[in-house]
Amino acid sequence: MTTRILPAVGDPDAARAVTTLIGQLPDAEPAGPVTDSTQLVDTLARLAAESLDELPEVVLVHERIGPVPALELVREVALRFPAVGVVLITADASPVLFSAAMDSGARGLVTLPLGYEELASRVQAAAQWSAGVRRHLGAGAEAPAGPGGTVVTVSGAKGGVGTTVTAVHLALAARASGRTVALVDMDLQGGDIASYLDVQFRRSLADLAAINDITPRVLQDAVYVHETGLSLLLAPGEGERGEEVTDRSARQIVSALRGRHEVVVVDCGTHLDAAGAAAVEMADAALLVTTPDVVAVRAAKRVVRMWDRLQVRKPEETTVLVNRHHRSTEIQPALVQKITGTRIAGVSVPAHFKELAAFVDAGRLHDLDARSTVKQALWALAGELGLVKAAADTPGRELVRGGDRGTLRLRRRGAGR
């Protein structure tokens, strides 16, 4: 049996050494090395989208891979692509690291400098384990893209552009179509989701920050189930506690939520911290909200460039939503796309804040009338992002488009026909 091996090594010299050695393994088919964590996850996701059989049997993760730390990357690959055997390459052979690697989901550990016998043994064991998992899944089975569903982050180019309103309605639209949805307030110092949805709850993200193993029971205790059916994980009431939520804890929290919900919407606010950066990096879709004015568009450009410099997100992998759009404004979506170098959402949200004012003041944003053009646009955006369950997957329901604004709404089959 041929064993396909994908090395993830950032250092060029180390990559050449690893590739040369695995090329000597019997029945090994080494792929070209990927140089960072983002490229590795993107490559595996692309292969998984084709079929389970396209995934490599073994992934080798070098300890100096970045920007995500090696153990965190091992954990993410093991969770999202369970049919792949992950082997960690490290100079630290201590029992503590070995235990941490196994807890993260690694199938083996190879010490530096690399030795042929040890590498061959670990690769063979990981490949056999991978083959067993694939036999269990069945021939021709669809590759699991990870436990659970889609993660979407919503960030603001600057304050006041409508980030939280957008996040809330994306979550509501997904929930209305029948999906299980978690809405996370990762604007750690100024989160307002609780105010928009009239919620008072003592638990928050900070309560999960120090927990190494987030079990379903622990997660359930920290989540507030809203009357709409949304599972809310709120920002801490005391802003200073936001510092307790690190990039590592953010990854664990989002991964745990992804494992129990079909859709996870994360409101990252307008301030980039380590936790928000981690969420944006691991998201399936990253939405950046701006308004069609010079100051906001310049801010959006700065955010996009910063994400790119920090290797958080490439511009072409970011989607920009233009909020408070009007035909008469000088800055149109096409110009925003040209300035930022990003994709532009096919939906623009109209400048009709008066429709929202009463519901925002009452903390009842979820009661916004279906005739609202703002709601129609945001729910259409949820459909564009793939957050809305297709009609065929929703027994007794169908999604229909309303008016000429592309709004999505639910209608019982047989009703009104």
Side-chain angles (χ1 to χ4, degrees), residues 72 75 103-104 207-215 218 246 248-249 251-253 256:
E72 294 302 317
R75 182 188 299 274
D103 288 344
S104 296
D207 295 305
L208 297 176
I211 299 176
N212 292 324
D213 185 16
I214 301 177
T215 65
V218 169
T246 64
R248 181 178 183 275
S249 57
R251 290 180 188 281
Q252 287 186 317
I253 291 167

Side-chain angles (χ1 to χ4, degrees), residues 91-163:
D92 183 1
S94 68
V96 173
L97 180 67
F98 182 84
S99 177
M102 297 304 104
D103 288 344
S104 296
R107 303 306 307 174
L109 187 147
V110 180
T111 55
L112 292 169
L114 290 177
Y116 177 86
E117 295 296 336
E118 184 183 22
L119 180 63
S121 174
R122 298 293 180 269
V123 166
Q124 182 181 18
Q128 290 175 348
W129 179 86
S130 173
V133 171
R134 297 178 195 212
R135 282 195 301 270
H136 177 72
L137 292 174
E142 185 177 339
T150 305
V151 175
V152 176
T153 56
V154 185
S155 306
K158 56 184 285 293
V161 295
T163 308

Side-chain angles (χ1 to χ4, degrees), residues 336-393:
V336 176
Q337 182 177 24
K338 183 177 179 180
I339 292 172
T340 60
T342 61
R343 292 195 298 255
I344 202 75
V347 176
S348 296
V349 182
H352 293 160
F353 182 75
K354 288 183 179 180
E355 298 175 353
L356 302 174
F359 298 95
V360 169
D361 291 342
R364 304 286 296 180
L365 192 57
H366 48 291
D367 288 338
L368 185 61
D369 195 288
R371 292 172 295 181
S372 163
T373 55
V374 173
K375 180 175 181 177
Q376 290 172 1
L378 290 174
W379 285 42
L381 175 64
E384 180 182 326
L385 295 174
L387 306 184
V388 176
K389 186 180 291 188
D393 299 331

Side-chain angles (χ1 to χ4, degrees), residues 183 241 249 291 297 337 350 382 394 400:
L183 176 59
R241 292 198 66 196
S249 57
T291 48
V297 174
Q337 182 177 24
T394 311
V400 284

Side-chain angles (χ1 to χ4, degrees), residues 183-188 190-194 205 233-236 265 267:
L183 176 59
V184 186
D185 196 343
M186 208 167 279
D187 186 358
L188 296 173
D192 285 320
I193 285 180
L205 280 161
L233 187 53
L234 303 173
V265 179
D267 179 359

Side-chain angles (χ1 to χ4, degrees), residues 260-278:
R260 295 178 61 82
H261 299 84
E262 295 174 275
V263 174
V264 180
V265 179
V266 184
D267 179 359
C268 294
T270 58
H271 174 68
L272 183 70
D273 52 23

